[in-house]
Amino acid sequence: MTAQPRRRLVLASQSPARLNLLRQAGLAPEVIVSGVDEDAITAPTPAELALALAEAKASVVAARPEVHGALVIGCDSVLDLDGEALGKPADAEEATARWKAMRGRVGTLQTGHCVWDTSDDNKRYVSATASTVVRFGEPTDEEIAAYVATGEPLYVAGAFTLDGRSAPFIEGIDGDHGNVIGLSLPLVRRLLAELGVGITELWAPAES
């Protein structure tokens, strides 16, 4: 009996962290960036904004003829701090102000996930948002200045990462740590299952 070929998987995100999470889980996605204008998308709450952004990115890529038949994953993250949605800071000044406002406080990292099946027999999508509570430490002004000077916070939602230089400034989290990095693998598994796809079916062959 001939084995079915492994489904093509496309990540609609330029985030190296998301790509790395999927690869560590045994997947081998291609990357196709959506080009969606994030500033043009609005929503009533941070969680709904994260979901709307993820759906927009996945939908744009899923509509491209070259991805026909593939599974497309789109994600986007925002930090919910007292109901305000904080994405990537515009510049170093904003990143510095952001960290001074966050220190000693608790926020919720919201990551929207959208998975499209672009095959003719099952063309549809499913989506959901994963939430992780983040407890920030109290870095000094000098530590904040040094961190911002690295440039790292300018490229990530909330101006922080859990797997980078700001990790020492995070006291703890409640929820999925991968979600804070950029993608919740358990949620991706559940969304794939809703589409009738088992995540183990997408595993890349183990290297010998």
Side-chain angles (χ1 to χ4, degrees):
M1 184 175 177
T2 304
Q4 290 294 318
R6 180 165 47 88
R7 290 288 300 276
R8 182 181 172 202
L9 186 64
V10 173
L11 175 62
S13 171
Q14 62 185 349
S15 165
R18 292 189 181 111
L19 178 60
N20 191 46
L21 282 167
L22 291 170
R23 284 176 171 170
Q24 288 176 338
L27 307 175
E30 304 168 40
V31 173
I32 299 180
V33 180
S34 68
V36 166
D37 180 5
E38 298 182 20
D39 294 333
I41 297 176
T42 60
T45 68
E48 290 172 289
L49 177 60
L51 188 61
L53 287 164
E55 290 177 346
K57 292 180 177 181
S59 297
V60 165
V61 173
R64 296 182 181 179
E66 64 268 28
V67 304
H68 177 70
L71 294 159
V72 178
I73 299 176
C75 296
D76 203 275
S77 301
V78 297
L79 178 68
D80 180 345
L81 193 68
D82 293 337
E84 182 181 2
L86 304 177
K88 300 183 182 83
D91 50 34
E93 183 178 0
E94 184 178 339
T96 299
R98 183 89 58 84
W99 261 100
K100 289 182 178 180
M102 295 189 308
R103 60 183 169 190
R105 298 173 66 189
V106 175
T108 302
L109 201 289
Q110 308 280 8
T111 300
H113 296 64
C114 180
V115 183
W116 263 95
D117 186 342
T118 67
S119 60
D120 287 330
D121 59 346
N122 194 32
K123 193 173 184 66
R124 64 190 180 101
Y125 75 88
V126 291
S127 61
T129 302
S131 305
T132 304
V133 173
V134 182
R135 300 188 299 278
F136 294 99
E138 299 192 25
T140 63
D141 288 353
E142 292 75 16
E143 287 174 325
I144 291 173
Y147 178 53
V148 172
T150 68
E152 182 182 273
L154 301 182
Y155 301 101
V156 288
F160 75 98
T161 65
L162 194 59
D163 60 343
R165 293 176 186 267
S166 61
F169 310 141
I170 309 297
E171 291 295 324
I173 65 168
D174 299 313
D176 179 6
H177 77 284
N179 188 56
V180 182
I181 296 172
L183 178 146
S184 170
L185 288 165
L187 179 53
V188 168
R189 173 183 167 272
R190 293 195 296 271
L191 292 175
L192 286 168
E194 286 186 44
L195 294 172
V197 179
I199 196 167
T200 59
E201 300 170 31
L202 304 177
W203 281 348
E207 296 181 6
S208 56

